[in-house]
Every structure is written in C-alpha cells, then in structure tokens.
Amino acid sequence: FTAGDIAYGHLHATDHVVKFMTQERLASFFIIRDPRDILVSHVHYITDLAPNHVLHNYYTNELSTFEERLRTSTIGLPDAPFSFPDIGERLKPYLGWMECEAVLVLKYENLINQQFEAVGKIVEFVINRGFIPKVNVPEATEVLLAGIDPSRSPTFRKGGSGAWKDQVDATNKNLIKENVGRALIQLGYEKDLTW
C-alpha cells in the first residue's frame, strides 16, 4: 500500500492478516450486516444477479422457491463438490475482527440509515490512525457522502435492511437460529434467541 490507497475485500481474521491490517498508519474497517439480511441478499444475488456464480444453476434449475433457496443458503451444501458450509461456518472466520481494537467495526445498517454519523466515525478513525485531512471532519464527511454510489456495485440490489422480516418463514427462521443464532448475539443484532 502507498499513502491514500483504499482497498476492500472479504478477509478472514487470521493472525497473519490481522497483524498486517492493524499495522501503524493503516486504517481498517470491519463492516457487519445482519446475517438474516445477508442470507436474503445471498439468495437474490445468486438467483438474479450472478449468472456465472457456481451456485446459479443449482439455485435456478434445481430449487424452485425462495424458501428452498434460503434454506440452502442457511444450511449450505455439505455434499457439493466445492466448499459451501452453513452460514454460521461461513461467518466464523470473520468474527475475530470484532475483537480487534485497531479495527473500526461498523454496521451496514448504520451506513444506510445514519450515514452522516457513520461516515463521521470513519473520518475520525482514519485521523486517529494517522491520516491528515485538508478539511475539518464535517467537511470531509460531506465529501465522502457525496462520493457514495451503491448502484456502481455489481452486488447492489436494493441496499436496505430488515428485509428478512418479510421474507423468512417460520421453518427457515428456526434454521437460521440453529446455524447463526449465537453470531446474531455476538454481532449485536439480538440479545437472545427469542426473536
């Protein structure tokens, strides 16, 4: 990296990666999203937006309902010729970022619903990590907000939160609790499993 570089990706919180991403003068962020919305988004992405995805044919030709696809996204495909474990196992390698003090944890929902405050936290965090802005925090926040255009992302569909409440039936709700219920608590989306 050189000064001012920005990069993004899905990085597991392994010791080596954490050590690199938390080095001095590097500002790293862990953006979390409600796993239930991740699942709903995953189904729509695989089915509607990613014709070259390894699961696209299976989701569109073998599974015929949203509920079947959601079940598969939740419990995975243990017998597939490629690795596609349940949602809890897929999330587990990322959860270590929650414990890193040198990483700013941001909720996707806050970036959607409280943009100015969330982006302001980002600006303050990068300043604390050594970045020297040419303008004050509110002005820098406004500049960043003006540059946000989710529609440029190849994964963008709606950009909302809470869709799972209208799309998850009782059976899939129970499967989600079994597979990712504890992570929902760890990530701060639920206090217990009674939702």
Side-chain angles (χ1 to χ4, degrees), residues 23 26 145 170:
Q23 63 187 300
L26 200 66
L145 284 171

Side-chain angles (χ1 to χ4, degrees), residues 45-58:
Y45 174 72
I46 298 299
T47 307
D48 304 325
L49 299 174
N52 295 323
H53 193 283
V54 69
L55 290 170
H56 178 76
N57 279 339
Y58 183 75

Side-chain angles (χ1 to χ4, degrees), residues 1-39:
F1 289 110
T2 59
D5 281 353
I6 297 172
Y8 60 90
H10 296 88
L11 300 175
H12 292 177
T14 62
D15 291 342
H16 176 75
V17 173
V18 169
K19 183 177 180 182
F20 179 81
M21 297 304 293
T22 58
Q23 63 187 300
E24 193 173 321
R25 299 188 58 80
L26 200 66
S28 296
F29 309 92
F30 178 48
I31 301 174
I32 60 174
R33 186 177 188 190
D34 187 321
R36 296 163 292 198
D37 279 326
I38 290 173
L39 286 165

